[in-house]
Amino acid sequence: MVKVVYVADDGTRNEVDAQPGISLMQTAITQGIDGIVGECGGSAMCATCHVYVDPDWIDRLPPRSDVEEEMLECTVSARKDNSRLSCQITAGPEIDGIVVHMPPEQI
Ligand code: FES
């Protein structure tokens, strides 16, 4: 299992065990984490799974694809340097313990 820490906009922290190979969006949905919607089901078509990756972890992720880059222009909450689509981040040992912050709004 891979530890993922989701931090809500109000500072509430939820630590969950993610299955390797499953996206952080899907993990949040199945674990009942509020603040990630995942409207398109993970095909990088909605930007409602927007997260701000903790600065300590951002460099450990693979770079954004062109599709993710484009979709991040459509987020409801402001895009930042550490913005990512959580449906495009796959849980794996290299990100065990990752911390992601949810934006104030997704829709
Ligand atoms: S779930 Fe739609 S872009 Fe991630």
Side-chain angles (χ1 to χ4, degrees):
M1 287 299 195
V2 179
K3 188 176 96 172
V4 181
V5 181
Y6 295 90
V7 184
D9 190 48
D10 68 1
T12 307
R13 292 170 72 91
N14 275 298
E15 188 178 312
V16 304
D17 287 326
Q19 270 201 323
I22 304 295
S23 77
L24 299 198
M25 178 281 286
Q26 198 60 52
T27 300
I29 301 297
T30 55
Q31 305 258 0
I33 304 291
D34 286 335
I36 291 180
V37 178
E39 215 165 58
C40 75
S43 32
M45 297 289 285
C46 71
T48 64
C49 64
H50 178 205
V51 292
Y52 302 121
V53 176
D54 193 274
D56 288 345
W57 292 92
I58 193 77
D59 290 339
R60 301 193 213 185
L61 297 176
R64 301 179 186 110
S65 66
D66 290 348
V67 172
E68 181 178 2
E69 197 68 62
E70 201 173 307
M71 214 53 233
L72 281 168
E73 296 299 328
C74 306
T75 57
V76 171
S77 296
R79 176 183 176 161
K80 300 180 185 175
D81 288 347
N82 59 341
S83 286
R84 296 295 303 252
L85 297 179
S86 59
C87 70
Q88 302 301 301
I89 304 173
T90 305
E94 65 285 356
I95 60 164
D96 187 23
I98 190 169
V99 179
V100 296
H101 300 258
M102 265 87 79
E105 291 180 290
Q106 294 282 20
I107 296 181

